[in-house]
Amino acid sequence: MRTQVAIIGAGPAGLLLGQLLTRAGIDNIIIEQRSPEYVLGRIRAGILESVTVDALERAGVAGRLHAEGLVHHGIALSYGGQRHHIDLHALIGRSVTVYGQTEVTRDLMDARRADDTPTVYEAQEVSVHGFDGSTPSVRYRKDGAMHEVACDYIAGCDGFHGICRESVPAAARQVFERVYPFGWLGLLSETPPVADELVYASHERGFALCSMRSRHRSRYYVQVAASERVEDWSDERFWQELRSRLDPQTASALVTGPSIEKSIAPLRSFVSEPMRFGRLFLAGDAAHIVPPTGAKGLNLAASDVLALSEGFEARYRRADASGLDGYSARCLQRVWKAERFSWWMTSLLHRFPDADAFSLRMQRAELDYVVGSEAASRVLAENYVGLPY
Ligand code: APR
Ligand code: PHB
């Protein structure tokens, strides 16, 4: 088989890239190691920047997002027993949309199926070849037989644990990484959200976040030690811990219920440079990871594939390779700013095991500054709604 762009991975990055390419008349195939049900079963964040909403519109998959997504004009910071409102829209003139990553993925999968664009799910032993020359290819095993796809380019959208980044010789790339000494325990429940906006809470027991998927479905997180096991957290223990970290106004409005899903995610900052090696392009989590505090993971994946699809369009329509040549540098500009913001939000709001009395006072002074100064609030708002593409 032959195609123009072979995409590895059917997460949001791979599916969105596929849809943008199909719309631009560029042949593509997606090769994914898991089943569609498995991909849809992963619960991830759900805050979309306007750049991401624009990309989904361009891909022709924003119908349900506009009907069901919740537009949020602000967020709240809770600490010292009080809740402080950050009015994103008043400060920076833009807002964010709350729409689960699972729903984004489902909409993209539905569109791909409707277009009849080829997708191979449950592909085993996926490997990429020849991207340092002019005839790249992808091989995989499916139903006991080996298959080979010859292509012009390979898009590595196979997430942090994928094989594309690792297929590049270690000497050709540089890795920057920070692993945080804690994780997030998340719980999804069919209960009304505690507030109209997301509440980011900093408390001496640790960070907590009150988020939502809809007006009836809530997503909550508490910071836990990296060594914690989800089996040790009953729903009751979770709710008690969450409530203890919220200001009284928020805590008293909390509606609890049985969990639908509960899991622990580690927190990591990670960038692998560059994002292009010959005819292999990395996008999304395959190239970079942010801690979830700034809600940037999905949004960075979307801006990467927007730049990549523009590069492919220029290459195929006008034989102009400048977009592909500049892809890595263009993405990394935005990636590093989002890395900085996610690291800053994480440092501002979490309890670090080694924090001394001075660092705790610094953290408190910074929170007071962020909520008390319009200039500081605006810096938060500008980054939270997403820097310009
Ligand atoms: N071969 C084929 N597919 C693979 C392979 C492989 N060897 N390894 C991984 N994959 C698939 C995974 O099963 C997954 O479906 O690649 C996909 C990668 O998807 P994501 O991990 O969701 O990464 P990405 O599409 O970049 O999305 C970024 O998702 O993880 C969140 O926080 C992240 O919100 C961000 C967004
Ligand atoms: C979520 O809803 O899962 C979520 C929201 C905001 C974040 C992180 C996660 O910063």
Side-chain angles (χ1 to χ4, degrees):
M1 177 178 176
R2 184 169 173 91
T3 191
Q4 290 176 305
V5 181
I7 302 170
I8 316 297
L15 286 165
L16 178 57
L17 176 63
Q19 211 51 33
L20 291 167
L21 294 182
T22 302
R23 287 220 138 195
I26 299 168
D27 282 347
N28 63 91
I29 183 172
I30 294 184
I31 298 161
E32 160 66 50
Q33 67 177 2
R34 304 285 190 174
S35 67
E37 297 73 32
Y38 181 96
V39 172
L40 284 174
R42 293 190 291 233
I43 310 286
R44 265 115 177 232
I47 304 296
L48 310 186
E49 298 174 357
S50 50
V51 168
T52 305
V53 172
D54 292 349
L56 293 165
E57 272 168 7
R58 213 193 277 190
V61 292
R64 203 159 65 91
L65 156 67
H66 286 311
E68 296 176 18
L70 306 172
V71 175
H72 279 202
H73 298 304
I75 57 169
L77 295 183
S78 162
Y79 70 93
Q82 286 190 322
R83 194 159 96 194
H84 306 264
H85 174 63
I86 306 280
D87 191 333
L88 302 171
H89 194 264
L91 287 161
I92 205 78
R94 281 184 293 144
S95 305
V96 292
T97 304
V98 174
Y99 190 66
Q101 180 170 317
T102 312
E103 306 312 315
V104 171
T105 308
R106 194 190 309 280
D107 295 345
L108 286 163
M109 280 181 175
D110 289 350
R112 191 163 179 94
R113 205 173 307 115
D115 290 346
D116 232 358
T117 322
T119 314
V120 179
Y121 283 101
E122 297 177 274
Q124 296 163 316
E125 298 166 38
V126 179
S127 58
V128 292
H129 306 271
F131 52 82
D132 49 350
S134 54
T135 52
S137 63
V138 179
R139 284 180 218 146
Y140 62 93
R141 180 185 295 281
K142 170 93 186 175
D143 301 328
M146 284 308 291
H147 301 264
E148 176 156 334
V149 180
C151 54
D152 297 336
Y153 298 98
I154 300 171
C157 302
D158 51 349
F160 183 61
H161 300 287
I163 47 98
C164 289
R165 187 182 68 248
E166 298 302 325
S167 302
V168 175
R173 53 193 191 88
Q174 197 176 357
V175 164
F176 305 84
E177 184 168 31
R178 172 149 310 175
V179 178
Y180 300 87
F182 40 72
W184 280 16
L185 168 63
L187 180 147
L188 186 69
S189 63
E190 205 63 39
T191 51
V194 69
D196 294 339
E197 297 178 340
L198 269 62
V199 181
Y200 289 82
S202 177
H203 187 272
E204 59 195 38
R205 294 184 64 84
F207 169 78
L209 170 60
C210 309
S211 181
M212 64 189 78
R213 290 292 173 271
S214 69
R215 291 201 173 79
H216 326 282
R217 188 171 274 209
S218 301
R219 179 71 168 162
Y220 295 104
Y221 299 93
V222 291
Q223 171 190 352
V224 293
S227 56
E228 285 289 331
R229 295 175 335 145
V230 69
E231 300 79 49
D232 296 331
W233 285 84
S234 64
D235 289 359
E236 200 186 335
R237 182 176 173 206
F238 180 92
W239 290 119
Q240 206 177 348
E241 188 59 43
L242 173 66
R243 192 180 284 114
S244 76
R245 297 183 187 190
L246 303 174
D247 60 273
Q249 180 200 357
T250 310
S252 66
L254 184 65
V255 179
T256 64
S259 63
I260 306 170
E261 192 264 1
K262 216 162 30 186
S263 53
I264 295 183
L267 265 70
R268 183 194 298 271
S269 298
F270 174 92
V271 181
S272 173
E273 293 184 355
M275 290 171 60
R276 177 216 179 148
F277 306 90
R279 287 175 177 252
L280 170 66
F281 295 84
L282 301 179
D285 279 15
H288 42 72
I289 295 283
V290 284
T293 327
K296 291 286 168 243
L298 173 60
N299 294 297
L300 278 183
S303 54
D304 286 354
V305 300
L306 201 52
L308 190 50
S309 70
E310 288 172 0
F312 284 135
E313 264 192 81
R315 159 70 186 77
Y316 283 112
R317 290 225 177 118
R318 305 187 293 278
D320 170 3
S322 60
L324 292 181
D325 290 343
Y327 168 75
S328 180
R330 179 177 184 190
C331 288
L332 285 169
Q333 277 280 333
R334 202 166 191 273
V335 164
W336 275 113
K337 288 181 188 138
E339 290 284 348
R340 187 208 67 81
F341 176 65
S342 307
W343 159 84
W344 175 77
M345 279 281 274
T346 304
S347 314
L348 178 70
L349 296 167
H350 289 73
R351 275 297 145 129
F352 286 71
D354 60 351
D356 58 11
F358 181 79
S359 349
L360 293 175
R361 281 286 194 275
M362 283 296 109
Q363 215 175 23
R364 178 60 186 255
E366 187 150 20
L367 280 165
D368 286 343
Y369 179 51
V370 166
V371 303
S373 148
E374 191 181 310
S377 298
R378 185 169 292 121
V379 171
L380 167 59
E382 180 183 36
N383 284 276
Y384 194 86
V385 303
L387 294 172
Y389 169 65

PDB file of all heavy atoms in Angstrom, residues 63-91:
ATOM      1  N   GLY A  63     -19.317  20.803  15.300  1.00  0.00           N
ATOM      2  CA  GLY A  63     -20.773  20.910  15.478  1.00  0.00           C
ATOM      3  C   GLY A  63     -21.209  20.610  16.904  1.00  0.00           C
ATOM      4  O   GLY A  63     -21.834  21.439  17.574  1.00  0.00           O
ATOM      5  N   ARG A  64     -20.859  19.408  17.378  1.00  0.00           N
ATOM      6  CA  ARG A  64     -21.289  19.010  18.724  1.00  0.00           C
ATOM      7  C   ARG A  64     -20.574  19.837  19.789  1.00  0.00           C
ATOM      8  O   ARG A  64     -21.150  20.169  20.833  1.00  0.00           O
ATOM      9  CB  ARG A  64     -21.010  17.510  18.931  1.00  0.00           C
ATOM     10  CG  ARG A  64     -21.873  16.886  20.007  1.00  0.00           C
ATOM     11  CD  ARG A  64     -21.953  15.378  19.855  1.00  0.00           C
ATOM     12  NE  ARG A  64     -20.673  14.711  20.046  1.00  0.00           N
ATOM     13  CZ  ARG A  64     -20.231  14.254  21.236  1.00  0.00           C
ATOM     14  NH1 ARG A  64     -20.964  14.422  22.320  1.00  0.00           N
ATOM     15  NH2 ARG A  64     -19.065  13.644  21.329  1.00  0.00           N
ATOM     16  N   LEU A  65     -19.330  20.193  19.497  1.00  0.00           N
ATOM     17  CA  LEU A  65     -18.570  21.035  20.422  1.00  0.00           C
ATOM     18  C   LEU A  65     -19.302  22.364  20.675  1.00  0.00           C
ATOM     19  O   LEU A  65     -19.434  22.810  21.814  1.00  0.00           O
ATOM     20  CB  LEU A  65     -17.180  21.270  19.820  1.00  0.00           C
ATOM     21  CG  LEU A  65     -16.350  22.480  20.218  1.00  0.00           C
ATOM     22  CD1 LEU A  65     -15.935  22.381  21.674  1.00  0.00           C
ATOM     23  CD2 LEU A  65     -15.117  22.572  19.351  1.00  0.00           C
ATOM     24  N   HIS A  66     -19.821  22.987  19.606  1.00  0.00           N
ATOM     25  CA  HIS A  66     -20.529  24.255  19.794  1.00  0.00           C
ATOM     26  C   HIS A  66     -21.886  24.047  20.478  1.00  0.00           C
ATOM     27  O   HIS A  66     -22.338  24.899  21.234  1.00  0.00           O
ATOM     28  CB  HIS A  66     -20.702  24.978  18.460  1.00  0.00           C
ATOM     29  CG  HIS A  66     -19.408  25.594  17.981  1.00  0.00           C
ATOM     30  ND1 HIS A  66     -18.621  26.377  18.788  1.00  0.00           N
ATOM     31  CD2 HIS A  66     -18.758  25.511  16.793  1.00  0.00           C
ATOM     32  CE1 HIS A  66     -17.540  26.758  18.121  1.00  0.00           C
ATOM     33  NE2 HIS A  66     -17.595  26.245  16.907  1.00  0.00           N
ATOM     34  N   ALA A  67     -22.518  22.882  20.227  1.00  0.00           N
ATOM     35  CA  ALA A  67     -23.828  22.632  20.836  1.00  0.00           C
ATOM     36  C   ALA A  67     -23.702  22.265  22.313  1.00  0.00           C
ATOM     37  O   ALA A  67     -24.520  22.683  23.136  1.00  0.00           O
ATOM     38  CB  ALA A  67     -24.541  21.515  20.073  1.00  0.00           C
ATOM     39  N   GLU A  68     -22.665  21.486  22.649  1.00  0.00           N
ATOM     40  CA  GLU A  68     -22.599  20.926  24.012  1.00  0.00           C
ATOM     41  C   GLU A  68     -21.471  21.484  24.871  1.00  0.00           C
ATOM     42  O   GLU A  68     -21.504  21.345  26.093  1.00  0.00           O
ATOM     43  CB  GLU A  68     -22.442  19.396  23.934  1.00  0.00           C
ATOM     44  CG  GLU A  68     -23.638  18.728  23.299  1.00  0.00           C
ATOM     45  CD  GLU A  68     -23.442  17.217  23.123  1.00  0.00           C
ATOM     46  OE1 GLU A  68     -22.557  16.623  23.775  1.00  0.00           O
ATOM     47  OE2 GLU A  68     -24.182  16.639  22.302  1.00  0.00           O
ATOM     48  N   GLY A  69     -20.463  22.097  24.242  1.00  0.00           N
ATOM     49  CA  GLY A  69     -19.337  22.634  25.020  1.00  0.00           C
ATOM     50  C   GLY A  69     -19.812  23.803  25.889  1.00  0.00           C
ATOM     51  O   GLY A  69     -20.746  24.513  25.541  1.00  0.00           O
ATOM     52  N   LEU A  70     -19.152  23.974  27.028  1.00  0.00           N
ATOM     53  CA  LEU A  70     -19.513  25.075  27.927  1.00  0.00           C
ATOM     54  C   LEU A  70     -18.442  26.154  27.802  1.00  0.00           C
ATOM     55  O   LEU A  70     -17.263  25.883  28.026  1.00  0.00           O
ATOM     56  CB  LEU A  70     -19.556  24.592  29.381  1.00  0.00           C
ATOM     57  CG  LEU A  70     -20.437  23.370  29.691  1.00  0.00           C
ATOM     58  CD1 LEU A  70     -20.214  22.908  31.135  1.00  0.00           C
ATOM     59  CD2 LEU A  70     -21.906  23.718  29.469  1.00  0.00           C
ATOM     60  N   VAL A  71     -18.850  27.373  27.447  1.00  0.00           N
ATOM     61  CA  VAL A  71     -17.880  28.459  27.340  1.00  0.00           C
ATOM     62  C   VAL A  71     -17.657  29.036  28.744  1.00  0.00           C
ATOM     63  O   VAL A  71     -18.612  29.405  29.422  1.00  0.00           O
ATOM     64  CB  VAL A  71     -18.373  29.541  26.362  1.00  0.00           C
ATOM     65  CG1 VAL A  71     -17.402  30.727  26.362  1.00  0.00           C
ATOM     66  CG2 VAL A  71     -18.507  28.957  24.960  1.00  0.00           C
ATOM     67  N   HIS A  72     -16.416  29.052  29.172  1.00  0.00           N
ATOM     68  CA  HIS A  72     -16.091  29.589  30.499  1.00  0.00           C
ATOM     69  C   HIS A  72     -15.321  30.894  30.356  1.00  0.00           C
ATOM     70  O   HIS A  72     -14.263  30.932  29.733  1.00  0.00           O
ATOM     71  CB  HIS A  72     -15.248  28.582  31.292  1.00  0.00           C
ATOM     72  CG  HIS A  72     -16.067  27.509  31.933  1.00  0.00           C
ATOM     73  ND1 HIS A  72     -15.644  26.781  33.005  1.00  0.00           N
ATOM     74  CD2 HIS A  72     -17.314  27.069  31.646  1.00  0.00           C
ATOM     75  CE1 HIS A  72     -16.590  25.919  33.363  1.00  0.00           C
ATOM     76  NE2 HIS A  72     -17.614  26.068  32.537  1.00  0.00           N
ATOM     77  N   HIS A  73     -15.846  31.933  30.994  1.00  0.00           N
ATOM     78  CA  HIS A  73     -15.202  33.255  30.918  1.00  0.00           C
ATOM     79  C   HIS A  73     -14.198  33.479  32.038  1.00  0.00           C
ATOM     80  O   HIS A  73     -13.507  34.492  32.046  1.00  0.00           O
ATOM     81  CB  HIS A  73     -16.257  34.351  30.947  1.00  0.00           C
ATOM     82  CG  HIS A  73     -17.195  34.285  29.776  1.00  0.00           C
ATOM     83  ND1 HIS A  73     -16.752  34.315  28.482  1.00  0.00           N
ATOM     84  CD2 HIS A  73     -18.535  34.173  29.716  1.00  0.00           C
ATOM     85  CE1 HIS A  73     -17.786  34.225  27.661  1.00  0.00           C
ATOM     86  NE2 HIS A  73     -18.886  34.137  28.386  1.00  0.00           N
ATOM     87  N   GLY A  74     -14.146  32.560  32.996  1.00  0.00           N
ATOM     88  CA  GLY A  74     -13.217  32.769  34.104  1.00  0.00           C
ATOM     89  C   GLY A  74     -12.862  31.469  34.800  1.00  0.00           C
ATOM     90  O   GLY A  74     -13.403  30.401  34.469  1.00  0.00           O
ATOM     91  N   ILE A  75     -11.905  31.563  35.727  1.00  0.00           N
ATOM     92  CA  ILE A  75     -11.580  30.441  36.615  1.00  0.00           C
ATOM     93  C   ILE A  75     -11.505  31.006  38.034  1.00  0.00           C
ATOM     94  O   ILE A  75     -11.519  32.238  38.218  1.00  0.00           O
ATOM     95  CB  ILE A  75     -10.222  29.777  36.275  1.00  0.00           C
ATOM     96  CG1 ILE A  75      -9.074  30.794  36.316  1.00  0.00           C
ATOM     97  CG2 ILE A  75     -10.277  29.096  34.913  1.00  0.00           C
ATOM     98  CD1 ILE A  75      -7.683  30.172  36.242  1.00  0.00           C
ATOM     99  N   ALA A  76     -11.416  30.122  39.024  1.00  0.00           N
ATOM    100  CA  ALA A  76     -11.272  30.588  40.402  1.00  0.00           C
ATOM    101  C   ALA A  76     -10.016  29.986  41.015  1.00  0.00           C
ATOM    102  O   ALA A  76      -9.631  28.863  40.691  1.00  0.00           O
ATOM    103  CB  ALA A  76     -12.494  30.188  41.206  1.00  0.00           C
ATOM    104  N   LEU A  77      -9.370  30.767  41.864  1.00  0.00           N
ATOM    105  CA  LEU A  77      -8.248  30.269  42.666  1.00  0.00           C
ATOM    106  C   LEU A  77      -8.723  30.251  44.114  1.00  0.00           C
ATOM    107  O   LEU A  77      -9.227  31.260  44.616  1.00  0.00           O
ATOM    108  CB  LEU A  77      -7.031  31.182  42.538  1.00  0.00           C
ATOM    109  CG  LEU A  77      -6.368  31.296  41.156  1.00  0.00           C
ATOM    110  CD1 LEU A  77      -5.131  32.181  41.238  1.00  0.00           C
ATOM    111  CD2 LEU A  77      -6.002  29.926  40.599  1.00  0.00           C
ATOM    112  N   SER A  78      -8.582  29.103  44.767  1.00  0.00           N
ATOM    113  CA  SER A  78      -9.025  28.968  46.154  1.00  0.00           C
ATOM    114  C   SER A  78      -7.807  28.746  47.037  1.00  0.00           C
ATOM    115  O   SER A  78      -7.026  27.828  46.792  1.00  0.00           O
ATOM    116  CB  SER A  78      -9.988  27.776  46.235  1.00  0.00           C
ATOM    117  OG  SER A  78     -10.133  27.323  47.563  1.00  0.00           O
ATOM    118  N   TYR A  79      -7.619  29.610  48.032  1.00  0.00           N
ATOM    119  CA  TYR A  79      -6.538  29.402  49.008  1.00  0.00           C
ATOM    120  C   TYR A  79      -6.810  30.286  50.212  1.00  0.00           C
ATOM    121  O   TYR A  79      -7.585  31.258  50.111  1.00  0.00           O
ATOM    122  CB  TYR A  79      -5.166  29.711  48.390  1.00  0.00           C
ATOM    123  CG  TYR A  79      -4.918  31.180  48.106  1.00  0.00           C
ATOM    124  CD1 TYR A  79      -4.275  31.996  49.052  1.00  0.00           C
ATOM    125  CD2 TYR A  79      -5.339  31.762  46.922  1.00  0.00           C
ATOM    126  CE1 TYR A  79      -4.050  33.330  48.801  1.00  0.00           C
ATOM    127  CE2 TYR A  79      -5.123  33.101  46.672  1.00  0.00           C
ATOM    128  CZ  TYR A  79      -4.479  33.879  47.611  1.00  0.00           C
ATOM    129  OH  TYR A  79      -4.283  35.217  47.370  1.00  0.00           O
ATOM    130  N   GLY A  80      -6.206  29.945  51.330  1.00  0.00           N
ATOM    131  CA  GLY A  80      -6.379  30.750  52.545  1.00  0.00           C
ATOM    132  C   GLY A  80      -7.839  30.889  52.947  1.00  0.00           C
ATOM    133  O   GLY A  80      -8.247  31.908  53.511  1.00  0.00           O
ATOM    134  N   GLY A  81      -8.651  29.891  52.617  1.00  0.00           N
ATOM    135  CA  GLY A  81     -10.062  29.905  53.036  1.00  0.00           C
ATOM    136  C   GLY A  81     -10.962  30.751  52.161  1.00  0.00           C
ATOM    137  O   GLY A  81     -12.134  30.938  52.471  1.00  0.00           O
ATOM    138  N   GLN A  82     -10.439  31.273  51.052  1.00  0.00           N
ATOM    139  CA  GLN A  82     -11.267  32.116  50.183  1.00  0.00           C
ATOM    140  C   GLN A  82     -11.149  31.738  48.724  1.00  0.00           C
ATOM    141  O   GLN A  82     -10.113  31.208  48.292  1.00  0.00           O
ATOM    142  CB  GLN A  82     -10.851  33.573  50.344  1.00  0.00           C
ATOM    143  CG  GLN A  82     -11.329  34.145  51.653  1.00  0.00           C
ATOM    144  CD  GLN A  82     -11.140  35.647  51.704  1.00  0.00           C
ATOM    145  OE1 GLN A  82     -10.132  36.162  51.199  1.00  0.00           O
ATOM    146  NE2 GLN A  82     -12.090  36.333  52.306  1.00  0.00           N
ATOM    147  N   ARG A  83     -12.204  32.058  47.972  1.00  0.00           N
ATOM    148  CA  ARG A  83     -12.201  31.783  46.534  1.00  0.00           C
ATOM    149  C   ARG A  83     -12.090  33.110  45.795  1.00  0.00           C
ATOM    150  O   ARG A  83     -12.841  34.040  46.083  1.00  0.00           O
ATOM    151  CB  ARG A  83     -13.507  31.081  46.161  1.00  0.00           C
ATOM    152  CG  ARG A  83     -13.474  30.463  44.803  1.00  0.00           C
ATOM    153  CD  ARG A  83     -14.539  29.394  44.701  1.00  0.00           C
ATOM    154  NE  ARG A  83     -15.749  29.919  44.082  1.00  0.00           N
ATOM    155  CZ  ARG A  83     -16.915  29.286  44.102  1.00  0.00           C
ATOM    156  NH1 ARG A  83     -17.052  28.140  44.738  1.00  0.00           N
ATOM    157  NH2 ARG A  83     -17.961  29.796  43.504  1.00  0.00           N
ATOM    158  N   HIS A  84     -11.146  33.189  44.860  1.00  0.00           N
ATOM    159  CA  HIS A  84     -10.896  34.425  44.110  1.00  0.00           C
ATOM    160  C   HIS A  84     -11.198  34.184  42.637  1.00  0.00           C
ATOM    161  O   HIS A  84     -10.701  33.217  42.056  1.00  0.00           O
ATOM    162  CB  HIS A  84      -9.438  34.854  44.264  1.00  0.00           C
ATOM    163  CG  HIS A  84      -8.999  34.967  45.692  1.00  0.00           C
ATOM    164  ND1 HIS A  84      -8.987  36.147  46.388  1.00  0.00           N
ATOM    165  CD2 HIS A  84      -8.580  34.012  46.564  1.00  0.00           C
ATOM    166  CE1 HIS A  84      -8.567  35.923  47.628  1.00  0.00           C
ATOM    167  NE2 HIS A  84      -8.316  34.641  47.755  1.00  0.00           N
ATOM    168  N   HIS A  85     -11.965  35.089  42.061  1.00  0.00           N
ATOM    169  CA  HIS A  85     -12.377  34.932  40.665  1.00  0.00           C
ATOM    170  C   HIS A  85     -11.353  35.598  39.744  1.00  0.00           C
ATOM    171  O   HIS A  85     -10.945  36.736  39.973  1.00  0.00           O
ATOM    172  CB  HIS A  85     -13.756  35.595  40.520  1.00  0.00           C
ATOM    173  CG  HIS A  85     -14.271  35.664  39.135  1.00  0.00           C
ATOM    174  ND1 HIS A  85     -14.559  34.549  38.390  1.00  0.00           N
ATOM    175  CD2 HIS A  85     -14.588  36.727  38.360  1.00  0.00           C
ATOM    176  CE1 HIS A  85     -15.011  34.925  37.207  1.00  0.00           C
ATOM    177  NE2 HIS A  85     -15.041  36.249  37.161  1.00  0.00           N
ATOM    178  N   ILE A  86     -10.921  34.877  38.704  1.00  0.00           N
ATOM    179  CA  ILE A  86     -10.066  35.484  37.673  1.00  0.00           C
ATOM    180  C   ILE A  86     -10.930  35.587  36.417  1.00  0.00           C
ATOM    181  O   ILE A  86     -11.276  34.561  35.812  1.00  0.00           O
ATOM    182  CB  ILE A  86      -8.821  34.605  37.368  1.00  0.00           C
ATOM    183  CG1 ILE A  86      -8.034  34.276  38.637  1.00  0.00           C
ATOM    184  CG2 ILE A  86      -7.936  35.248  36.303  1.00  0.00           C
ATOM    185  CD1 ILE A  86      -7.109  35.359  39.141  1.00  0.00           C
ATOM    186  N   ASP A  87     -11.270  36.801  36.037  1.00  0.00           N
ATOM    187  CA  ASP A  87     -12.183  37.021  34.916  1.00  0.00           C
ATOM    188  C   ASP A  87     -11.378  37.049  33.607  1.00  0.00           C
ATOM    189  O   ASP A  87     -10.916  38.097  33.162  1.00  0.00           O
ATOM    190  CB  ASP A  87     -12.936  38.341  35.135  1.00  0.00           C
ATOM    191  CG  ASP A  87     -14.090  38.488  34.155  1.00  0.00           C
ATOM    192  OD1 ASP A  87     -14.016  37.914  33.047  1.00  0.00           O
ATOM    193  OD2 ASP A  87     -15.060  39.173  34.509  1.00  0.00           O
ATOM    194  N   LEU A  88     -11.220  35.870  33.016  1.00  0.00           N
ATOM    195  CA  LEU A  88     -10.379  35.738  31.817  1.00  0.00           C
ATOM    196  C   LEU A  88     -10.853  36.688  30.731  1.00  0.00           C
ATOM    197  O   LEU A  88     -10.062  37.384  30.084  1.00  0.00           O
ATOM    198  CB  LEU A  88     -10.439  34.300  31.280  1.00  0.00           C
ATOM    199  CG  LEU A  88     -10.003  33.188  32.244  1.00  0.00           C
ATOM    200  CD1 LEU A  88     -10.331  31.822  31.651  1.00  0.00           C
ATOM    201  CD2 LEU A  88      -8.506  33.293  32.529  1.00  0.00           C
ATOM    202  N   HIS A  89     -12.168  36.731  30.528  1.00  0.00           N
ATOM    203  CA  HIS A  89     -12.702  37.499  29.406  1.00  0.00           C
ATOM    204  C   HIS A  89     -12.479  38.995  29.613  1.00  0.00           C
ATOM    205  O   HIS A  89     -12.075  39.710  28.699  1.00  0.00           O
ATOM    206  CB  HIS A  89     -14.174  37.177  29.174  1.00  0.00           C
ATOM    207  CG  HIS A  89     -14.651  37.674  27.854  1.00  0.00           C
ATOM    208  ND1 HIS A  89     -15.288  38.885  27.715  1.00  0.00           N
ATOM    209  CD2 HIS A  89     -14.523  37.147  26.606  1.00  0.00           C
ATOM    210  CE1 HIS A  89     -15.539  39.068  26.425  1.00  0.00           C
ATOM    211  NE2 HIS A  89     -15.091  38.037  25.731  1.00  0.00           N
ATOM    212  N   ALA A  90     -12.720  39.476  30.841  1.00  0.00           N
ATOM    213  CA  ALA A  90     -12.520  40.905  31.109  1.00  0.00           C
ATOM    214  C   ALA A  90     -11.033  41.260  30.995  1.00  0.00           C
ATOM    215  O   ALA A  90     -10.678  42.352  30.546  1.00  0.00           O
ATOM    216  CB  ALA A  90     -13.039  41.249  32.508  1.00  0.00           C
ATOM    217  N   LEU A  91     -10.159  40.347  31.393  1.00  0.00           N
ATOM    218  CA  LEU A  91      -8.729  40.654  31.424  1.00  0.00           C
ATOM    219  C   LEU A  91      -8.079  40.586  30.050  1.00  0.00           C
ATOM    220  O   LEU A  91      -7.158  41.340  29.750  1.00  0.00           O
ATOM    221  CB  LEU A  91      -8.007  39.669  32.361  1.00  0.00           C
ATOM    222  CG  LEU A  91      -8.239  39.879  33.857  1.00  0.00           C
ATOM    223  CD1 LEU A  91      -7.895  38.618  34.636  1.00  0.00           C
ATOM    224  CD2 LEU A  91      -7.413  41.064  34.369  1.00  0.00           C
TER     225      LEU A  91
END
